[in-house]
Amino acid sequence: MNETAAIAATTTRRLDLPVSGMTCAACAARIEKVLNRLPGVSASVNLAAERAQVQMSSADTTPQQLIAAIEKAGFGVPPQSVELAIGGMTCAACATRIEKVLNRIDGVEAAVNLAAETARIRFVPGAVDPARLVQAVEKAGFTARVADERMRAEEKAKKEAAWRAERRRFWIAAALTAPLVAQMFWMFGSDMKHGEHGGDPLPRWLQMLLATPVQFWIGWRFYDGTWKALRGGGIGGANMDVLVALGTTMAWALSAVVTLAGLAHEHVYFEASAAVITLVLMGKLLEARAKAGTTAAIEALLRLAPKTARIERDGQLVDVPADTLLPGDVFIVRPGDAIPVDGQVLAGASSVNEAMLTGESMPVAKAAGDAVFAATHNELGQLRCRATGVGEHTLLAGIIRLVAEAQGSKAPVQRLADRISAIFVPAVCAIALLAFAGWLAAGADASEALINAVAVLVIACPCALGLATPTAIMVGTGQGAGAGILVKNAEALERAEKIGVIAVDKTGTLTEGAPAVTDIVPLASSPASADAVLRLAAALEQGSEHPLAKAVLKRAAAMPLPAATDFSALPGRGVVALIDGRRLQLGAPGWAAAGALADDAVVRRLQGEGKTVVVLAADDAALGLIAIADPLRPGSRAAIARLAALGIEVVMLTGDNRVTAAAVAAAAGIARFEAEVLPGDKAAAVAALKEGGRIVAMVGDGINDAPALAAADIGFAMGAGSDAAIHAADITLVKSDLAAVADAIALSRATLAKIRQNLFFAFIYNVLGIPLAALGMLNPVVAGAAMAMSSVSVVSNSLLLKRWRPAAR
């Protein structure tokens, strides 16, 4: 019995799961009941902490089943994410190996970025923790640390020091290898192919003396990498280190045996082994420098954040660390200073340069009530502001976080490269073995067969395949962030290239989003004056947040308003309430006053001018009309024309009637529109557009249009003013400018073009290089140089994306 209890104790697992969506004790009790029904589960739910403590004593129940049960009950278990800084990766096979190891863990979804040397991991909280993830990576033969801002700075310093050490070793290797390579060229010039016996300019003992430190001291990193790769994953974990170590060791060992045995009639290949290692090191140094350029966008954003803030304390202005500010603190921004945190202007007037966040070079006027953002620059006047977002909750912090997540994500186009990388090294080893056997069978001597096999090993490079996509994604998303285009992930960037239809919301997207009353028309049949119509309409709209309601209230700001009771709102139609004992309506002409004015000539004239008309009625008798106009944004028509030039159809969605919608669409240059679309029906309208089989995007404000944004293949949220708004869509546009949508699509197309070029280079290089090496048409030194340059060429091609700029306005 005791033995059974001990076995049970050893198999009991304890999980601590966060739970979202609980509102009362009944919720907690329901979750407990649901969990305790599962085999071998004992659960206790804490409502205050919003966590579930779970003990699992049965192997029949998994963490995923616990989460599924909680979600089925109507609650959620928010997944957690962590970024690990990975050390020791040398090629795509390493990244694939780490992904495989991490994704084997229950509840873990990992994506490894070779270019950034990071792993971004989503995991089930409680089922696994970061320490276990680090342990799994280390067991696979690599190093891992949880990334944070301080660690990133330390890691950058370590990488810089390591790069300098590698550079020193490279120059030492180059000095030792130079005489060997010079000898090779001298022999070629003397028509003495492969150093025929008796023709070596350098004594063989000196060649061995020069090549050995390069092989085993300078080249030790390849042996270390080989050991870790094979120890962690066997032959399936083989990477570029295995190819270099195997190929160069074969060339060095053959040459050493010939030299030590005094076989003067045999060839030696010390120059091949030493030159390959030196060239690969050179390639790695150039690649590291080029890769550093792909993360420049995030580093530039991090440098923007001011370190100090100026606050009022005891009547004096005092400088304090910016990270000590709390929401509600009042701070002062002098002319020329950077704004330390997100805030709202309390007093003062100035212009602020927001180019670092929006890409827009023109300063933005700021006055009392306006929002200001961390890292933007105050230009002229002094501002007194109240902090609204600090630390990780500023717009800048949200942008940095989103860019980092996008750069760590994987595009679907990378899947083929990943599948090939997983089998690449074993396949190359097999080809090299076949080449060796084939040359022997063809009558070549062992040394010639061996050197051709070495050429196969050293020309093959999985690195270019692994770097082709992530380097382009990193540069592309970084360039986008600098232009105010925030891409949530690589998949969104890839889909944006294929957009065929864009649905745009009228209010706030095509128009300024600031409607104003233009006409007040009391009806001849009504005793009400224009002021009375406006006063009653404003009384009905009190407390409403609708843009049209705000326009009416703004026009009536100086008027005393009567109280309204029994208020109700009918979405897409209007509002109704009791005022002074009368039942008043304010809404669409087809609804208010029983639709009596739906075809009125004045209504049609105002609608034909692109204005929205609402009717005020008392006890179903019309009292007057109010016309409200929301002017088009200055750049909307040009943006629509540019989207059309990109081959994209634009469809306007609006709740306005067809006459008003037609006028606005004509002014914007839009041929197709959907009118009288209720707010709840926009998602259905987007779904209907998708039935044609084309990729459909939706452009909205990221909050009110959330269902439609979610229904679209790609959602664009315009005018992000908060950290929360950044996460509302696939692509967030910091500027409220429809032209930024065209810029985002152009960026997507430029990035995908680079990815395809990179993949072509990587594939064609290996497809042509490996057969040529196997056929004996490539010297190992040439093969090594080609391999070293393949990765550099891919990364350098990605860096050309830095030349991308948004179109001039």
Side-chain angles (χ1 to χ4, degrees):
M1 186 73 176
N2 288 340
E3 185 180 349
T4 304
I7 293 171
T10 59
T11 58
T12 298
R13 295 178 62 191
R14 290 177 174 81
L15 302 183
D16 182 15
L17 300 175
V19 179
S20 62
M22 292 191 293
T23 57
C24 62
C27 300
R30 173 162 171 72
I31 294 170
E32 275 190 10
K33 187 175 181 181
V34 165
L35 291 176
N36 287 323
R37 286 180 188 153
L38 298 173
V41 171
S42 173
S44 173
V45 179
N46 185 323
L47 174 63
E50 295 187 312
R51 303 192 78 84
Q53 301 284 341
V54 183
Q55 291 191 35
M56 300 165 56
S57 58
S58 171
D60 295 333
T61 303
T62 65
Q64 285 73 19
Q65 288 174 311
L66 294 176
I67 293 168
I70 292 171
E71 290 175 345
K72 191 174 180 181
F75 305 93
V77 178
Q80 292 182 354
S81 62
V82 67
E83 183 176 282
L84 300 183
I86 307 294
M89 290 194 295
T90 57
C91 66
C94 301
T96 303
R97 168 76 184 144
I98 295 170
E99 269 189 12
K100 196 178 293 183
V101 165
L102 289 171
N103 287 321
R104 281 181 190 151
I105 302 172
D106 285 343
V108 169
E109 180 183 331
V112 177
N113 188 322
L114 173 64
E117 295 183 320
T118 58
R120 185 163 291 277
I121 305 163
R122 284 167 56 90
F123 61 93
V124 176
V128 68
D129 57 28
R132 185 179 169 196
L133 299 171
V134 168
Q135 187 180 28
V137 174
E138 290 177 341
K139 190 176 178 182
F142 304 89
T143 62
R145 293 173 64 193
V146 176
D148 56 33
E149 191 171 333
R150 181 179 61 81
M151 194 229 75
R152 285 191 186 98
E154 292 175 1
E155 201 69 27
K156 185 179 178 184
K158 283 183 179 177
K159 281 185 180 179
E160 191 63 32
W163 188 86
R164 287 194 295 268
E166 282 291 297
R167 185 177 60 184
R168 282 194 299 272
R169 282 193 286 271
F170 163 72
W171 285 119
I172 293 169
L176 294 170
T177 304
L180 299 171
V181 175
Q183 168 197 250
M184 181 182 73
F185 285 118
W186 183 87
M187 289 160 55
F188 284 152
S190 302
D191 294 322
M192 299 181 66
K193 188 178 178 182
H194 293 299
E196 292 176 4
H197 56 279
D200 293 322
L202 293 178
R204 290 185 172 183
W205 63 266
L206 181 57
Q207 292 184 48
M208 185 173 178
L209 191 66
L210 292 170
T212 300
V214 177
Q215 184 70 41
F216 297 106
W217 173 44
I218 304 296
W220 176 251
R221 57 173 284 171
F222 301 112
Y223 292 102
D224 184 53
T226 296
W227 164 246
K228 288 175 178 175
L230 297 179
R231 182 191 64 184
I235 189 64
N239 59 11
M240 185 205 74
D241 291 327
V242 174
L243 296 177
V244 175
L246 185 59
T248 59
T249 302
M250 287 164 58
W252 182 90
L254 171 65
S255 303
V257 169
V258 168
T259 300
L260 295 174
L263 305 176
H265 62 284
E266 292 290 346
H267 306 304
V268 291
Y269 299 96
F270 287 120
E271 82 285 348
S273 63
V276 166
I277 287 175
T278 303
L279 288 166
V280 172
L281 277 181
M282 182 184 71
K284 285 295 174 187
L285 286 171
L286 294 174
E287 179 187 318
R289 265 294 175 257
K291 278 162 58 178
T294 65
T295 59
I298 286 185
E299 290 173 6
L301 289 170
L302 287 169
R303 286 195 298 271
L304 290 175
K307 302 296 183 231
T308 59
R310 184 166 289 246
I311 65 169
E312 294 176 345
R313 184 172 288 170
D314 300 326
Q316 300 290 323
L317 293 179
V318 182
D319 287 338
V320 299
D323 56 11
T324 63
L325 286 183
L326 298 173
D329 285 350
V330 175
F331 60 93
I332 305 297
V333 187
R334 296 177 303 181
D337 283 355
I339 296 170
V341 295
D342 288 1
Q344 185 177 39
V345 178
L346 298 177
S350 183
S351 58
V352 175
N353 185 345
E354 298 181 344
M356 57 288 299
L357 299 183
T358 66
E360 184 60 60
S361 58
M362 290 296 292
V364 180
K366 299 290 181 181
D370 290 336
V372 292
F373 304 107
T376 56
H377 282 268
N378 184 28
E379 294 199 337
L380 299 174
Q382 180 167 290
L383 297 174
R384 187 168 181 265
C385 309
R386 177 183 290 114
T388 56
V390 300
E392 293 297 308
H393 301 289
T394 64
L395 177 61
L396 175 66
I399 290 172
I400 291 170
R401 193 159 49 248
L402 193 65
V403 172
E405 288 173 4
Q407 291 189 343
S409 63
K410 281 197 172 185
V413 73
Q414 192 176 343
R415 290 173 188 155
L416 175 61
D418 286 346
R419 285 197 297 270
I420 292 172
S421 296
I423 61 167
F424 186 84
V425 175
V428 168
C429 290
I431 293 169
L433 188 62
L434 289 173
F436 178 72
W439 278 96
L440 287 178
D445 58 38
S447 63
E448 186 180 3
L450 187 66
I451 213 64
N452 289 330
V454 168
V456 171
L457 292 172
V458 297
I459 196 171
C461 183
C463 303
L465 285 172
L467 293 169
T469 300
T471 52
I473 292 293
M474 291 171 75
V475 178
T477 53
Q479 289 298 102
I485 300 166
L486 308 178
V487 182
K488 183 171 283 188
N489 52 49
E491 185 175 355
L493 191 66
E494 182 174 338
R495 283 205 309 270
E497 183 209 25
K498 304 180 181 74
I499 290 173
V501 180
I502 292 181
V504 296
D505 182 46
K506 186 202 80 172
T507 304
T509 303
L510 285 170
T511 65
E512 294 281 7
V517 173
T518 57
D519 303 86
I520 303 170
V521 184
L523 296 180
S525 59
S526 163
S529 65
D531 284 350
V533 170
L534 178 61
R535 185 173 64 87
L536 291 173
L540 278 167
E541 297 285 25
Q542 288 179 88
S544 174
E545 289 298 314
H546 194 282
L548 300 184
K550 289 181 179 179
V552 173
L553 289 166
K554 184 177 180 180
R555 181 69 177 265
M559 290 182 171
L561 302 179
T565 59
D566 291 340
F567 176 89
S568 63
L570 301 173
R573 292 182 173 82
V575 295
V576 60
L578 291 177
I579 296 179
D580 297 333
R582 291 191 298 172
R583 180 176 174 272
L584 267 68
Q585 298 174 312
L586 183 69
W591 170 75
L597 298 182
D599 293 319
D600 182 81
V602 176
V603 170
R604 287 201 304 274
R605 176 179 62 79
L606 292 170
Q607 289 176 340
E609 295 171 2
K611 299 172 182 176
T612 299
V613 179
V614 291
V615 174
L616 176 70
D619 300 322
D620 287 333
L623 300 179
L625 309 174
I626 296 178
I628 300 166
D630 185 6
L632 279 180
R633 293 183 184 276
S636 288
R637 187 175 182 89
I640 298 298
R642 188 171 161 215
L643 288 168
L646 291 172
I648 297 168
E649 180 185 12
V650 179
V651 179
M652 184 183 79
L653 303 181
T654 179
D656 278 333
N657 63 83
R658 293 195 65 80
V659 178
T660 300
V664 173
I670 296 174
R672 181 179 173 188
F673 63 88
E674 299 284 340
E676 299 176 3
V677 179
L678 298 178
D681 295 337
K682 285 184 181 177
V686 170
L689 292 173
K690 290 168 66 175
E691 290 176 2
R694 289 188 290 177
I695 299 294
V696 175
M698 171 70 192
V699 185
D701 60 15
I703 301 168
N704 299 329
D705 300 309
L709 289 170
D713 295 303
I714 297 283
F716 289 88
M718 277 179 54
S722 69
D723 180 29
I726 288 175
H727 298 280
D730 299 299
I731 298 176
T732 302
L733 309 170
V734 179
K735 292 179 287 188
S736 295
D737 185 351
L738 195 60
V741 176
D743 289 335
I745 294 169
L747 175 63
S748 168
R749 292 181 179 182
T751 304
L752 267 293
K754 282 291 172 218
I755 289 173
R756 292 191 182 97
Q757 289 168 17
N758 287 346
L759 289 172
F760 173 79
F761 291 152
F763 279 118
I764 202 71
Y765 161 81
N766 283 294
V767 166
L768 294 178
I770 292 173
L772 288 174
L775 292 171
M777 299 172 71
L778 287 179
N779 180 285
V781 176
V782 176
M787 187 263 271
M789 290 299 104
S790 64
S791 297
V792 177
S793 64
V794 163
V795 178
S796 300
N797 189 48
S798 293
L799 288 175
L800 292 177
L801 268 175
K802 286 193 170 186
R803 298 186 301 184
W804 180 88
R805 295 288 183 274
R809 304 284 191 267

